[in-house]
Amino acid sequence: MDFSKLKYISTDVPTTDELELLNESRVRIAQVIRARWIILGILAAYGVVPYVLFQYYSIDLSSVTTLQCVFPVLAWCAMATYNAFFLYSYQWFANIRPLNQIQLLLDLLFVTVVIHFSGGAVSWFWPMYLVVTLESVLVMEKYSDTFAFALGASLAYGGLLQFEYYGIVPPVSMPFENLSLQQTLPYGVTKWAWVTMTNMSMAAIGVFLMKTIRDREEELRKLVIKDNLTVLYNRAYFFYRLNSEIQRAKRYNRALSLLIMDMDDFKRFNDRYGHLVGDQLLRVLAGTIRSNIRYSGGKPSYELDIPCRYGGDEFAIILPETNTAQAAGVAERLRKEINLKCGHEMMAPIQAATGSHPMEIPTVTVSVGVASFPEHASMTEALVKAADDAMYVSKRSEKNKVVISETPTPPPGTSPLAEGGPRVSTVREKPPFRPEMAGGLHG
């Protein structure tokens, strides 16, 4: 069995996405803990307030046994104890994926115990199953898990009624209730069917509402972090993610590289074919970038390299787990693919915009600057400047080539460019490409 699937982080060097998933897990666990305190408070109030009222009005409670009072209190204390344990230790266990499922199973057990000691088939506490189902709606990653818990509640309640009916578990008497109903099979079946249908309906409604909320949250998130034209990440997210990856690289002593590329003569292209066609070229170029890095927008999504639109016709690609030579290989491959494919893909948009077939295939080239952590810079702004300056070296010379920054890492407390700016080297041939980290996308 692959136990790594039971964890959000299964390696010694987690990715930023894994760290974000771990943080989301901690948030969900904290939600369960807070919800459980609310449930415990309601149950405590429900136990204390009626007792005070019964004593005030001198109601006969002789039918309530000591066991009925002691066992629910012990169950309440046990639930409060493990909830307090999770409250102060969940940060340590948040990496375990099934942790929320384990907590909710304990909640189902607790609710079933309380229902038994409050009358079983005639208990008023069965709606607590709905509360557990709502908990699962809020915290489960998969919607199917919510229906699984609703089904689990149905089976737990049905099993309890069967045990009480056949005397496997002695039924418990309660004041104000018709105790003969506990031994009436049609009533038990009807009550079980009602609880099951209500709980499954609650699960279905909750899943629908939560899916709607999460879909809208995802749409809003994309609006915040994605560029509307190219659907790549925007400049703000680029700096956030680059800083996160640099901190990760520092913590785990890993390599990290950055590519900054700028389209050559893009203004001339816009002047010749129009800005709408220029926008289409930016989309085509963005698609070419996505198809040549470790990135997939499918379900489930796969993202290791982070493609961003840095400026108007300028793009940036963050390459985690990638040294300088490997990054240069990626840059050279992208440069060749863009030069080879983008012009051909623009033939149809140009013809649609101009009304005539182009006499020649437009030339689309990019200049690319490469910089790596910690070789060329150890801070976010310095790494961006090193890659940007290397790109401008290409722009000022032949264009359509990859330039590697050779800025030495300065001593602590000095400027990254204190020695007169970056030296650069030009990639003439494709260097060794990234090995197994590339998977099938960079092969």
Side-chain angles (χ1 to χ4, degrees), residues 32 34-45 76 79 107 110-111 128 131-132 135:
V32 172
R34 286 193 294 267
R36 191 177 294 114
W37 284 127
I38 295 173
I39 294 172
L40 287 169
I42 293 173
L43 291 176
W76 188 95
M79 189 176 182
D107 290 348
F110 172 74
V111 169
M128 295 304 296
V131 178
V132 176
E135 273 189 272

Side-chain angles (χ1 to χ4, degrees), residues 46-349:
Y46 188 81
V48 172
V49 173
Y51 177 79
V52 173
L53 291 175
F54 290 168
Q55 292 293 327
Y56 181 79
Y57 289 104
S58 301
I59 295 175
D60 182 19
L61 298 177
S62 59
S63 61
V64 179
T65 65
T66 302
L67 183 62
Q68 282 180 268
C69 297
V70 173
F71 205 93
V73 170
L74 291 177
W76 188 95
C77 292
M79 189 176 182
T81 300
Y82 85 72
N83 201 48
F85 170 77
F86 279 126
L87 176 63
Y88 292 104
S89 64
Y90 76 93
Q91 298 280 358
W92 303 338
F93 302 108
N95 190 35
I96 303 174
R97 282 183 180 270
L99 184 60
N100 283 332
Q101 285 90 330
I102 294 171
Q103 292 190 80
L104 289 173
L105 285 174
L106 291 173
D107 290 348
L108 281 180
L109 176 62
F110 172 74
V111 169
T112 304
V113 169
V114 171
I115 288 175
H116 169 65
F117 282 98
S118 59
V122 297
S123 172
W124 297 352
F125 273 99
W126 69 263
M128 295 304 296
Y129 283 130
L130 305 182
V131 178
V132 176
T133 299
L134 284 177
E135 273 189 272
S136 67
V137 168
L138 290 173
V139 302
M140 288 296 98
E141 295 180 57
K142 299 179 181 178
Y143 298 123
S144 58
D145 289 345
T146 297
F147 289 104
F149 275 103
L151 180 61
S154 172
L155 294 175
Y157 188 61
L160 174 64
L161 297 184
Q162 288 294 307
F163 284 177
E164 291 182 347
Y165 179 78
Y166 289 106
I168 300 174
V169 176
V172 177
S173 61
M174 287 294 291
F176 317 120
E177 295 294 344
N178 184 358
L179 303 183
S180 64
L181 293 175
Q182 295 174 327
Q183 299 298 314
T184 305
L185 184 60
Y187 176 81
V189 172
T190 303
K191 186 70 172 289
W192 172 81
W194 170 249
V195 172
T196 299
M197 288 188 297
T198 304
N199 208 27
M200 296 300 290
S201 299
M202 177 69 72
I205 295 171
V207 164
F208 172 76
L209 294 176
M210 186 54 62
K211 185 177 185 303
T212 301
I213 291 171
R214 288 177 178 173
D215 288 346
R216 290 181 178 177
E217 286 178 346
E218 183 62 23
E219 290 176 3
L220 289 173
R221 180 177 180 273
K222 289 180 179 179
L223 289 174
V224 171
I225 68 174
K226 291 291 185 76
D227 172 63
N228 290 333
L229 180 63
T230 62
V231 201
L232 300 181
Y233 292 111
N234 58 27
R235 183 186 179 97
Y237 185 80
F238 162 72
F239 279 103
Y240 158 75
R241 191 62 181 270
L242 180 61
N243 181 67
S244 298
E245 292 295 340
I246 288 177
Q247 297 305 317
R248 172 179 168 272
K250 287 180 179 179
R251 179 181 302 174
Y252 299 105
N253 194 28
R254 310 298 290 186
L256 169 68
S257 293
L258 173 65
L259 309 183
I260 290 187
M261 65 173 62
D262 188 83
M263 296 184 63
D264 298 326
D265 303 316
F266 184 61
K267 183 179 183 304
R268 186 185 303 171
F269 184 95
N270 275 339
D271 292 342
R272 182 173 181 180
Y273 298 111
H275 288 278
L276 293 179
V277 179
D279 289 346
Q280 181 62 29
L281 175 57
L282 292 174
R283 295 190 192 98
V284 169
L285 192 142
T288 304
I289 291 174
R290 279 195 297 266
S291 62
N292 285 277
I293 60 174
R294 298 169 295 181
Y295 172 93
S296 171
K299 297 286 184 179
S301 61
Y302 172 90
E303 179 183 86
L304 187 56
D305 300 331
I306 303 101
C308 309
R309 186 182 181 192
Y310 185 65
D313 60 338
E314 198 168 359
F315 298 84
I317 306 171
I318 304 170
L319 305 175
E321 305 289 336
T322 308
N323 61 33
T324 303
Q326 295 166 341
V330 176
E332 183 64 13
R333 176 173 180 169
L334 278 169
R335 184 193 65 79
K336 290 180 178 179
E337 288 290 311
I338 290 169
N339 183 231
L340 180 66
K341 295 182 178 180
C342 289
H344 289 278
E345 293 186 32
M346 288 303 300
M347 293 292 284

